[in-house]
Amino acid sequence: MNRPRRDEHGGVIVLMALGMVALTLMVAIVVDLGSTRALRSQSRAAADAAATAGALDLAGGPAHDACMKAFAYAFTNLGVAGPSATTIGNGCDAGGMTATSPCTSGSARVATVVASGARVEVTNPVPNGHLLLRATVVGGGFAQPADLSAAGVDGTDCQRIGVEVTQPQSRIFGGVTSSGNQSFSVHSVARFQPTGQGSPGPPAVVALHPTACKAIDTGNGKILVENTPDGPGTVYSDSDGTSPACSSGTGILHTGSSGALRAAALAASPGELTWYSAPSTRGYVNGASRQEIGTTSSGSSYVGKLSSRPTRVTRKPADAVYHCTNIPPTPSVPTCTKPDPVEDAKTLAQAATAPAGYVTHSAPCNTSGAPITFTTNTFVNCAPFEVKGNPLLVTNGVTVIFTGRLDVSAGGTLAVNVVSAAAAAGADGLPVPALPLLQSRLIVGSTASDALSISSNSSAINMAQTFLYNRGGFSLQSTNSIRWSPPSSGPTKSLLYWSESNAPLAIQGGPNFQAAGVMFAGNAPMTSGGGGNLDMSRVQLWIDKLTISGSATVRLRPDLGTGISLTVAGTALIR
């Protein structure tokens, strides 16, 4: 008896369909994994580049430029349409990394910008124990504590900048393998790493005279040099004390019978009080009391490590930043090709008529009758121009050239790039700029010893984001407020003042001096007299010689965010 045969012809099709589904799932998984790996690799490279680029602008000061640079590098390396510089700047400001906010150890500041679906976060400082110090691995991070050993591998938290990139993880076969798209995050941390010889941070003062005795002379006053978060207080003299030769009683670093030169230590690192290649008998007053480790309140005449340096500092570090055409080209240092803001200002200062793009102002030559406002680039053909009785207001980030002296006298206020002459200062004591992205320049063409003069206790200075070039000397005799911040970006970033004149930079009367930045008068002596206190604790001085007369006290400490460092900065990717 024959049994009926079952028809199995359709079974092959079912098996093939199931196999195709399985094969499709396998292909989807492989393709998605490959896509994810490529996207993560690109994001990691972008985070590495952004953190490394940003870290180069960190030195413990304001991290605004570092923040902006990190964002720019991140979006460029992600290959997406990045946001505008204004959007990035606003993101940095919203995260607390403004141009006037120095880093405070222990409290992370986080700035966030989203563009083209990519979310980028920039963090500074990166405190010990922060999640960014965990390694990025698939499935979660593992702890990697900061190396705080003597080697200082991971640096301080203010020297660290972290960049985290979060991107959508698009699935090519999302509808097959999952219900939707997901996102992933990778991060990198880099640190600013000072290298080379000398103090990690910028020195407070560099006295450039090559041979003078009493190149830094406190007389019976005091010079107190504070430490910074990155290093001890530092004073450098380029003098070898040979013209005429200093004796044991008249050193290159000189103090009178009741004077004091004190550089504060940082932990076990003593302050540095140095001169160039001369024995200690010429370096300082050998009979004076001294100690290597101490504070600026110590009773000793000298506090800090007294020693000679094998090389002079010279003005080259300052020229390299602001006046590179002054450096003779060599095979290793070619002709300067970047902008030279000092040379440009020098040319404008020597102009006999208004340059192209400038309007001429020839009268009135004072503000006695009414306030005067300059809103466009202006050539002031007055000798002198006197700010007296009423303010002079310079707005819109313009340049003003004064052909003669600029005299700020009784009742006058010189106000630049601020809302009004009486504009309030920020929490840091510096003036709040009306237009933060615009930089102003004042150029004084007179070569007189008092080309720039502030001569009354009722006169005041309120200048934001302002660089001042002076062909002559600077005379300040006032107890009123001097509030002055330098440009925060561009070729004159951090530069307050530049003069090539040998006329003195003379400050009397103990003004309330609120400023942060670099002041260069490399051919001129700086003198401070009377019995007042001069606080220049955020200003770095480049001068020929420094002399204190009377019983004046000068307090110095460079601002880490603006001072010129004598070391070669580098970066290290640490996470």
Side-chain angles (χ1 to χ4, degrees):
M1 180 176 178
N2 294 327
R3 296 181 178 177
R5 298 176 60 188
R6 291 179 295 178
D7 189 353
E8 298 179 352
H9 289 94
V12 174
I13 295 176
V14 173
L15 291 174
M16 287 184 65
L18 293 173
M20 287 298 295
V21 171
L23 182 60
T24 299
L25 289 171
M26 291 177 62
V27 170
I29 292 171
V30 171
V31 172
D32 280 344
L33 285 175
S35 175
T36 298
R37 182 180 293 275
L39 194 58
R40 288 178 66 92
S41 177
Q42 182 188 35
S43 298
R44 163 64 78 178
D48 286 351
T52 303
L56 199 55
D57 273 359
L58 289 178
H64 184 76
D65 284 3
C67 176
M68 291 194 66
K69 185 178 289 186
F71 276 124
Y73 270 73
F75 287 112
T76 298
N77 284 276
L78 287 172
V80 301
S84 67
T86 299
T87 299
I88 289 176
N90 290 339
C92 293
D93 289 344
M97 284 175 265
T98 70
T100 58
S101 299
C103 178
T104 301
S105 178
S107 179
R109 299 174 295 183
V110 182
T112 303
V113 174
V114 179
S116 302
R119 176 186 177 93
V120 178
E121 293 183 348
V122 174
T123 301
N124 170 262
V126 181
N128 303 333
H130 195 278
L131 290 176
L132 288 178
L133 293 179
R134 289 177 172 268
T136 302
V137 296
V138 176
F142 60 87
Q144 189 175 352
D147 184 346
L148 304 178
S149 64
V153 174
D154 288 334
T156 66
D157 53 0
C158 281
Q159 291 175 335
R160 306 177 198 136
I161 187 167
V163 177
E164 183 169 66
V165 177
T166 302
Q167 291 223 76
Q169 185 170 302
S170 300
R171 305 224 174 183
I172 298 174
F173 295 94
V176 176
T177 61
S178 67
S179 60
N181 296 332
Q182 299 177 349
S183 64
F184 69 90
S185 297
V186 296
H187 68 256
S188 301
V189 179
R191 63 158 294 195
F192 172 83
Q193 186 169 342
T195 59
Q197 299 298 315
S199 171
V205 58
V206 180
L208 295 170
H209 198 293
T211 61
C213 189
K214 298 185 178 181
I216 297 179
D217 182 12
T218 72
N220 289 321
K222 294 180 176 63
I223 298 176
L224 308 180
V225 185
E226 300 176 352
N227 60 3
T228 70
D230 277 1
T234 309
V235 173
Y236 291 148
S237 168
D238 271 357
S239 176
D240 60 7
T242 58
S243 183
C246 296
S247 66
S248 60
T250 54
I252 299 168
L253 307 181
H254 182 80
T255 65
S257 58
S258 58
L261 174 58
R262 300 168 184 161
L266 178 65
S269 299
E272 297 183 30
L273 305 172
T274 72
W275 58 89
Y276 169 66
S277 189
S280 60
T281 51
R282 293 207 302 267
Y284 57 93
V285 180
N286 293 143
S289 59
R290 60 188 186 274
Q291 64 182 100
E292 186 165 291
I293 298 288
T295 67
T296 54
S297 61
S298 167
S300 297
S301 296
Y302 295 97
V303 175
K305 183 179 180 181
L306 289 150
S307 62
S308 63
R309 289 169 54 88
T311 58
R312 286 189 168 101
V313 176
T314 76
R315 59 177 286 167
K316 188 173 180 180
D319 281 335
V321 179
Y322 299 116
H323 194 16
C324 58
T325 57
N326 195 53
I327 302 175
T330 64
S332 60
V333 182
T335 301
C336 174
T337 57
K338 68 177 184 177
D340 187 326
V342 169
E343 189 65 25
D344 182 51
K346 176 182 176 182
T347 300
L348 293 175
Q350 295 173 335
T353 58
Y358 286 73
V359 299
T360 298
H361 175 94
S362 56
C365 287
N366 59 69
T367 62
S368 296
I372 294 177
T373 300
F374 295 140
T375 60
T376 60
N377 291 342
T378 304
F379 182 81
V380 181
N381 193 17
C382 295
F385 186 91
E386 187 176 24
V387 184
K388 181 178 182 179
N390 289 291
L392 170 66
L393 189 62
V394 179
T395 64
N396 297 338
V398 302
T399 297
V400 179
I401 304 170
F402 298 90
T403 60
R405 292 175 51 248
L406 175 59
D407 186 3
V408 185
S409 57
T413 298
L414 177 59
V416 184
N417 203 25
V418 291
V419 175
S420 67
D428 57 1
L430 301 177
V432 177
L435 298 168
L437 296 181
L438 298 183
Q439 323 297 328
S440 297
R441 291 186 299 177
L442 298 185
I443 297 175
V444 180
S446 171
T447 58
S449 61
D450 58 349
L452 174 62
S453 175
I454 305 166
S455 56
S456 171
N457 290 339
S458 61
S459 57
I461 299 291
N462 197 15
M463 300 193 297
Q465 303 266 62
T466 302
F467 159 56
L468 193 151
Y469 178 86
N470 185 14
R471 289 185 70 200
F474 181 3
S475 175
L476 170 57
Q477 300 182 51
S478 173
T479 58
N480 211 339
S481 293
I482 310 296
R483 301 187 187 278
W484 186 358
S485 67
S488 60
S489 62
T492 55
K493 175 185 175 183
S494 302
L495 182 59
L496 292 167
Y497 178 87
W498 192 286
S499 178
E500 297 285 352
S501 172
N502 58 11
L505 196 165
I507 301 178
Q508 306 283 333
N512 177 21
F513 200 92
Q514 296 286 338
V518 176
M519 294 188 72
F520 182 94
N523 298 313
M526 175 180 166
T527 62
S528 180
N533 295 317
L534 176 61
D535 188 345
M536 302 183 75
S537 59
R538 288 176 289 176
V539 175
Q540 183 186 45
L541 292 173
W542 293 74
I543 38 87
D544 182 62
K545 295 186 290 185
L546 175 58
T547 301
I548 308 299
S549 60
S551 57
T553 296
V554 177
R555 190 176 299 276
L556 299 169
R557 181 185 61 185
D559 181 74
L560 288 179
T562 60
I564 299 169
S565 178
L566 305 186
T567 61
V568 179
T571 63
L573 196 63
I574 59 176
R575 294 293 188 277

